[in-house]
Amino acid sequence: MPELPEVETIRRSLEPRVLGRRFVRTEVFDPAAVLSPCDPLRLDRELRGRRVTELARRGKYLIFRLDGGSLVIHLRMTGVLLLDGGAEGCRVRFELDDGSRLLFCDRRRLGGLWLVEDESSVVGRLGPEPLEDSFTPELLGDILRGRRAPIKAVLLDQEAIAGLGNMYADEALFLSGVHPLRRACEVTPEELGRLHRAIRSVLEAGIRAQGASVETYRLPDGTPGGAQLLFKVAHRAGHPCPVCGAAIERVSIRNRGAYFCPRCQK
Ligand SMILES: [Zn+2]
């Protein structure tokens, strides 16, 4: 569930607490959380003494850049990172040299982490970052061109655009008036401009509201975000559309629920 705004919120919140700190001890409670190529039994020894030089984000991945290699974390559906607090399903606990503890908890155990020398082995195939200046309407047009899949499916493709997930893609499509089942290649130039603006505005609003706590997402201090309160269609099946009053509908696109207004979105 955590998408770009949630991971960026976690990054901004953790950055002042972890920057310059060294890992002193790592406890792996669930070896399956440590993903290939690193050995869960060696994670503590490998991380010990390494210092965090930068906390970065790429798409939905959080990247601890170290003085030698990177620790990359993906939260998938239910992962959370908590400072000095616990939650259900704690998988890995990191202790830093100021005594603070960072816990990676993950009820459904779908997320994971990698300790790698070169982070591009994990994040190298991701598409462009939608909030960077280089993400222009022209670039979005290039991404959609020739794709016959539903626009919603293309927006969720992390190799097409990095960081958009189910909630913010639904919101962006609603804001731009585009039906989630439209073929990506059939979006008109005018709709493309609206969609480009909408993608950026929903992501920026999500970050300002510190992410959406629809399910398990929490900030590292355990508090919920507020972006779910801004949602107009996401997870709102049956509620009235805030523009026209029609009931919000849900369809399944490649096993993911897509929420939309049947009247406002063409
Ligand atoms: Zn409507």
Side-chain angles (χ1 to χ4, degrees):
M1 209 46 85
E3 305 179 23
L4 188 157
E6 287 72 37
V7 180
E8 179 61 20
T9 299
I10 292 169
R11 191 197 70 75
R12 292 180 185 187
S13 172
L14 281 182
E15 187 176 46
R17 298 287 304 274
V18 303
L19 214 58
R21 301 262 69 92
R22 289 183 192 277
F23 288 93
V24 295
R25 198 163 110 94
T26 304
E27 283 180 278
V28 178
F29 304 115
D30 175 14
V34 182
L35 300 172
S36 176
C38 48
D39 179 349
L41 297 173
R42 293 177 58 92
L43 188 68
D44 175 47
R45 195 170 2 141
E46 298 279 339
L47 262 179
R48 192 170 295 181
R50 291 209 215 185
R51 197 167 61 87
V52 182
T53 58
E54 190 181 355
L55 188 60
R57 180 192 56 74
R58 185 75 176 88
K60 305 178 194 174
Y61 294 79
L62 189 67
I63 305 172
F64 293 74
R65 295 198 175 123
L66 310 170
D67 52 354
S70 299
L71 175 71
V72 182
I73 300 183
H74 198 303
L75 301 171
R76 296 283 171 205
M77 296 296 283
T78 58
V80 290
L81 283 169
L82 298 168
L83 262 175
D84 302 319
E88 197 184 350
C90 190
R91 307 181 75 191
V92 182
R93 182 168 64 196
F94 306 95
E95 194 177 321
L96 303 174
D97 62 357
D98 63 349
S100 60
R101 290 182 174 85
L102 181 64
L103 285 88
F104 170 42
C105 304
D106 186 7
R107 199 183 64 206
R108 287 179 61 184
R109 302 175 67 227
L110 296 167
L113 59 88
W114 300 257
L115 180 64
V116 286
E117 290 310 312
D118 177 4
E119 68 192 47
S120 70
S121 62
V122 180
V123 298
R125 293 174 62 87
L126 293 176
E129 286 290 327
L131 291 180
E132 286 188 358
D133 291 343
S134 55
F135 184 74
T136 58
E138 293 70 32
L139 180 57
L140 179 60
D142 292 343
I143 290 165
L144 302 185
R145 190 167 304 129
R147 303 270 313 241
R148 295 172 59 80
I151 178 76
K152 172 74 187 285
V154 176
L155 294 181
L156 295 186
D157 176 357
Q158 299 300 297
E159 294 183 19
I161 303 171
L164 266 184
N166 215 27
M167 302 182 293
Y168 296 95
D170 281 346
E171 290 298 304
L173 287 169
F174 173 74
L175 215 59
S176 51
V178 176
H179 195 288
L181 284 169
R182 281 270 296 285
R183 286 184 200 276
C185 58
E186 290 172 359
V187 169
T188 67
E190 193 196 342
E191 289 169 333
L192 184 78
R194 287 206 304 264
L195 181 58
H196 176 264
R197 278 194 302 278
I199 288 171
R200 290 167 78 118
S201 76
V202 297
L203 294 175
E204 284 165 354
I207 294 171
R208 276 197 303 276
Q210 299 196 296
S213 289
V214 173
E215 285 189 52
T216 51
Y217 165 75
R218 291 288 183 275
L219 272 75
D221 67 359
T223 56
Q228 70 281 2
L229 304 173
L230 308 173
F231 288 162
K232 297 181 168 58
V233 292
H235 298 281
R236 295 186 55 78
H239 290 274
C241 166
V243 174
C244 75
I248 300 301
E249 293 182 7
R250 180 187 185 278
V251 290
S252 187
I253 301 176
R254 296 186 179 169
N255 295 321
R256 306 291 305 277
Y259 298 87
F260 66 100
C261 172
R263 212 179 284 164
C264 294
Q265 292 174 255
K266 310 280 185 230

